[in-house]
Amino acid sequence: MKKTETRIQKKNQSAIKAAGLKVFSQFGFRGSTLDQIATEAGLSKPNILYYFSSKEAIYEALLAQLLTDWLQPVRDIDPEGEPVEEILNYAKHKMKMSRLYPRESRLYANEIIQGAPRIKSVLTCELRDVVKSLAQLINNWSEAGLIRVIDPYHLIFSIWAMTQHYADFDVQVQAILGEGDHFNDAEQYLEDMLRRMLTV
Amino acid sequence: MKKTETRIQKKNQSAIKAAGLKVFSQFGFRGSTLDQIATEAGLSKPNILYYFSSKEAIYEALLAQLLTDWLQPVRDIDPEGEPVEEILNYAKHKMKMSRLYPRESRLYANEIIQGAPRIKSVLTCELRDVVKSLAQLINNWSEAGLIRVIDPYHLIFSIWAMTQHYADFDVQVQAILGEGDHFNDAEQYLEDMLRRMLTV
DNA sequence: AATTAATTTGACCAACTTGTAAAAAAAAAC
DNA sequence: GTTTTTTTTTACAAGTTGGTCAAATTAATT
């Protein structure tokens, strides 16, 4: 269908998305302007609207991409694997994403804080189902005596909260710990915490 | 000096602050408009500017109040108290604040995610110092063998992350767990987690 | 009741917002 | 090299934004 995609199209579309990510993640949807995005992308405003039909279209393209990347690692957890290591790997993966893609994390945080007006349906469907599966798996592991009995949902929330915190609240972390990369220490702490929570 | 404060002033100022909190916490500073705040407060826009010199003045009044309430519980931790209970009490207090004042939490989250442009100095001074003191206290407790040896900073971050998560990401929590109050379970989980992390 | 002070409103700006449309410029296809 | 398509720009429309100002209204004081 849409096999035809010029190199210019590819280049500019990704430039716009990169700029949009930067701006939206900092100011949220309503706080961001097309002018900012255009400047950031090095394009004129009407030129941006040549590639995306509206400001909202850029935002939604970013969110859609984000949700895909967000859910995959949860699906990748192997029910046949060693439980503690599977959960730890997932947590480490999330921590790595916070380190490498803090803007994506903040974009998502902005959307959720504002009540998730554009992705609420995704939350109550895809996300809910995926998490439900994982919770069931964790419960099975608990019943099999492979990990300690634990509330799977709040376990998952605690992993999300602690990993995303270092991306979303980066300024605060830096203000307290000084400037630098604190993700290694954070990962160490989280790993220690999870081992204590999971081992019988 | 400013002893004169009409009942009308008190009423309207607090109405404006309540409205500002509601709007700012949802849309962030740049995403909020004076019209929204005025409507929410049941006042006309110029009337709002009669009480606050600008949109920014409302926002800053809210932030200032917030930071005071935010730091006090940390200062209230008793160095002479029983370490595990002191930390647990603090965590429970924070959880309660997330439950009772989710808007304040989201307002703060918005500000931090956006790079804390208006309170960065507070973060690198007051907050940093207060946390440094607490970290020192925790280290002392560790050295005295009263709690396990643990990174105090990441311990604090984990408490903040997990408590604020239930306020800031409320929509997501509700999407996954269903609508209702999940703070009791969350507190239970957090208490369990902290006990495991702190007891030798 | 008259005077003074506090409060509210309506009309208004200037700057900024998203988005449009036609024309100019650049690439690609032939 | 010419034609056709794609891309970019310029100019602009329509609505929104934060904020001002003087006049009108209300409340407090005497």
Side-chain angles (χ1 to χ4, degrees), chain B residues 158-199:
Chain B
S158 70
I159 294 173
W160 288 351
M162 288 185 57
T163 52
Q164 289 169 26
H165 183 86
Y166 292 91
D168 302 342
F169 285 68
D170 177 59
V171 193
Q172 185 177 260
V173 171
Q174 306 264 347
I176 290 171
L177 289 183
E179 290 183 28
D181 187 327
H182 308 289
F183 281 94
N184 284 329
D185 294 343
E187 189 175 309
Q188 195 91 21
Y189 179 90
L190 179 57
E191 181 174 342
D192 177 39
M193 190 199 94
L194 288 175
R195 282 196 194 281
R196 293 195 161 254
M197 290 299 279
L198 295 173
T199 51

Side-chain angles (χ1 to χ4, degrees), chain A residues 32-46:
Chain A
S32 304
T33 71
L34 281 175
D35 278 311
Q36 285 178 284
I37 297 171
T39 302
E40 187 67 41
L43 297 170
S44 70
K45 188 174 53 177

Side-chain angles (χ1 to χ4, degrees), chain A residues 1 32 43 99 104 109 118 121 141 146 149-150 165:
Chain A
M1 271 294 154
S32 304
L43 297 170
R99 192 214 306 254
E104 278 83 349
R118 286 152 231 272
S121 64
W141 284 339
L146 298 170
V149 174
I150 193 173
H165 182 86

